[in-house]
Amino acid sequence: KQEVTQIPAALSVPEGENLVLNCSFTDSAIYNLQWFRQDPGKGLTSLLLIQSSQREQTSGRLNASLDKSSGRSTLYIAASQPGDSATYLCAVVDSNYQLIWGAGTKLIIKP
Amino acid sequence: DVKVTQSSRYLVKRTGEKVFLECVQDMDHENMFWYRQDPGLGLRLIYFSYDVKMKEKGDIPEGYSVSREKKERFSLILESASTNQTSMYLCASSLGIRYTFGSGTRLTVV
């Protein structure tokens, strides 16, 4: 059964730092991996989607990588800002087309 | 842009009440989903639907039912609300493997 793990569960860094959030999955048979952002009490916003055949995707200051063979993805945030504070969730679409979720990393950017 | 609208942002209901959570999407997506989100547990799938009048149980369907009479609308029903159903409920629709989420309904059962 596919399991998705995100480490760390929470992270606090000073503004301006570059940072990396980690996501690992147990079964490499995935269709894609997605990173979402969730602000407190709100729904989810899709940030990046990496197809299983891709190695990375970039959007502005965000870069997501995917290594299927090792079951890992990273979300790199450059030059962090207080507005980046949120919970970041990763999810994989498994071989049954179901979304399997990690528990999220709560990110706090200190001004 | 695809829009998924959940009718209520916050709801407070009494134990034993019948509760309806409504979700509407405007992009003719075939697939719709209901999740609940609890601290430390992440998102868990309650029910999903791949077509009108079609429904499939997710990981935690107990205590819930769903209705999909029209393609754009997917309703989650709590037949008799209980305090352990206090949670954030998220609706999503998808085209293929790209998902769009609503803003969520925070339900409190007292």
Side-chain angles (χ1 to χ4, degrees), chain A residues 2 5 14 26-27 36 50 53 62 64 69 77-79 84-85 96-97 99 102-103:
Chain A
Q2 179 74 269
T5 304
T26 55
D27 186 346
F36 293 85
I50 311 176
S53 58
L62 304 180
S69 61
I77 302 177
D84 295 330
S85 297
N96 296 314
Y97 291 99
L99 265 180

Side-chain angles (χ1 to χ4, degrees), chain A residues 42-57:
Chain A
K42 302 280 183 68
L44 277 69
T45 302
S46 179
L47 295 174
L48 289 163
L49 183 153
I50 311 176
Q51 302 287 1
S52 62
S53 58
Q54 297 175 321
R55 299 284 290 185
E56 66 178 342
Q57 283 286 329

Side-chain angles (χ1 to χ4, degrees), chain A residues 58-109:
Chain A
T58 299
S59 176
R61 295 182 293 107
L62 304 180
N63 176 276
S65 68
L66 175 64
D67 183 343
K68 261 184 38 173
S69 61
S70 66
R72 292 180 184 175
S73 175
T74 61
L75 178 66
Y76 175 83
I77 302 177
S80 59
Q81 303 169 358
D84 295 330
S85 297
T87 296
Y88 291 81
L89 294 148
C90 91
V92 300
V93 175
D94 70 3
S95 54
N96 296 314
Y97 291 99
Q98 297 298 317
L99 265 180
I100 310 298
W101 294 87
T105 295
K106 183 174 183 178
L107 176 65
I108 298 172
I109 307 298

Side-chain angles (χ1 to χ4, degrees), chain A residues 1 31-32 34 36 38 40-46 49 51 87 89 93 96-103, chain B residues 9-10 33 35 37 40-45 48 50 59 88 90 96-104 106:
Chain A
K1 182 183 176 184
Y31 283 100
N32 66 32
Q34 302 182 51
F36 293 85
Q38 185 176 32
K42 302 280 183 68
L44 277 69
T45 302
S46 179
L49 183 153
Q51 302 287 1
T87 296
L89 294 148
V93 175
N96 296 314
Y97 291 99
Q98 297 298 317
L99 265 180
I100 310 298
W101 294 87
Chain B
R9 291 295 304 275
Y10 301 95
F33 307 81
Y35 292 88
Q37 184 180 29
L41 296 177
L43 275 79
R44 293 179 291 168
L45 181 63
F48 60 98
Y50 286 145
D59 298 320
M88 169 73 97
L90 291 163
I97 52 179
R98 186 176 287 275
Y99 287 70
T100 302
F101 281 81
S103 298
R106 184 165 292 281

Side-chain angles (χ1 to χ4, degrees), chain B residues 1-4 24-32 50-52 68 70-73 93-96:
Chain B
D1 283 350
V2 179
K3 196 167 184 182
V4 177
V24 177
Q25 50 98 359
D26 65 359
M27 285 298 292
D28 204 36
H29 285 178
E30 300 285 345
N31 311 319
M32 296 189 75
Y50 286 145
D51 203 351
V52 175
R68 192 155 182 212
K70 294 183 178 181
K71 193 174 187 180
E72 67 270 19
R73 186 181 296 271
S93 71
S94 76
L95 178 64

